[in-house]
Amino acid sequence: MTKSTEGGSQTLGRGLEALTLIGESNSPLSVAELAAQLGIHRSMAYRLVKTFEQYGFVERMPSGDLELGARLGALARNVAKSLQSAAAPELAAVSDELRMTALLVVFDGEAAVTLSTAEPRLADATVAQRPGTRHPIDDGAPGRVIRSQLNPSQYPAKTFESSHDEVIPGLHSIAVPLVLPQAKPAAIAVIYPPLELDEEHIAHVLSSASQRISAALGIRLN
């Protein structure tokens, strides 16, 4: 995942790429593995990691493996703060009404990213989805909702999208579009175990919540 840094700082670009690799790796990376993926000498990777450690962005485990540090978690709480504040009560209401985990999903320029979630308070069992989880926009109901916002001529918008056994094995998902300022692609969705349910009703609950979130952000819908 090497990106062009033309017109910008190569060192900063390499550092951001390193953080992305550490955060998105399916298994913990060592400094040597990080160096190999970045295509740089191991000593340079050590210097990057040391700087990240000094600022609390990366932590090195006793095993030598790397993981994102607590300071990034603190920064993440302020990501899209107004959007998360507007969405939080609506996601909670959807989750409690449908007894499903509700998700706010946005587009980060490459993939669909779960920005925040809500789990039902009264359900016997819930399905968790970690904020920060990313998946391709070709996969899963919220991903395809975002895809239709990015490329409506090729992927015409639907009232809602549904998926099964795609992003999370064994689970269903239903998603609807969320209209945001500057037309930023987004969706709200629910995930739940395989059940025979009224998808139209679930989509209606989601669409009503989506409209209230947009209104809270000052967007007037036709």
Side-chain angles (χ1 to χ4, degrees), residues 7-204:
S9 166
Q10 184 179 21
T11 302
L12 177 59
R14 183 177 288 125
L16 292 173
E17 185 177 355
L19 284 175
T20 302
L21 287 170
I22 294 168
E24 294 180 358
S25 177
N26 291 327
S27 57
L29 294 177
S30 67
V31 175
E33 291 167 334
L34 179 64
Q37 292 196 31
L38 289 171
I40 61 177
H41 194 274
R42 190 179 302 185
S43 63
M44 185 178 293
Y46 271 110
R47 288 197 296 271
L48 279 174
V49 169
K50 185 65 175 178
T51 301
F52 293 150
E53 287 182 298
Q54 290 172 348
Y55 282 87
F57 292 157
V58 167
E59 295 179 7
R60 200 177 332 191
M61 301 295 99
S63 63
D65 292 332
L66 307 173
E67 66 177 29
L68 295 182
R71 191 168 186 185
L72 279 176
L75 292 175
R77 286 196 292 271
N78 289 321
V79 172
K81 196 169 185 177
S82 61
L83 171 56
Q84 293 197 69
S85 295
E90 298 299 338
L91 291 180
V94 166
S95 180
D96 285 342
E97 179 177 349
L98 298 176
R99 296 196 173 190
M100 301 172 182
T101 298
L103 316 173
L104 168 61
V105 183
V106 298
F107 182 62
D108 72 350
E110 290 185 342
V113 180
T114 299
L115 187 60
S116 58
T117 67
E119 297 180 21
R121 290 172 291 184
L122 301 178
D124 294 331
T126 61
V127 177
Q129 170 79 319
R130 181 172 57 88
T133 302
R134 304 170 79 248
H135 64 272
I137 60 173
D138 292 323
D139 298 338
R144 287 196 286 273
V145 165
I146 288 172
R147 184 180 66 177
S148 70
Q149 293 169 319
L150 292 168
N151 193 350
S153 59
Q154 186 174 356
Y155 303 103
K158 300 178 182 178
T159 305
F160 68 93
E161 292 275 1
S162 62
S163 62
H164 168 60
D165 201 26
E166 293 187 29
V167 177
I168 305 177
L171 294 184
H172 287 286
S173 179
I174 293 176
V176 302
L178 173 61
V179 179
L180 297 181
Q182 287 82 50
K184 294 177 182 177
I188 60 170
V190 288
I191 52 175
Y192 57 97
L195 296 169
E196 290 294 329
L197 299 174
D198 185 346
E199 291 190 350
E200 294 282 351
H201 171 68
I202 295 171
H204 175 73

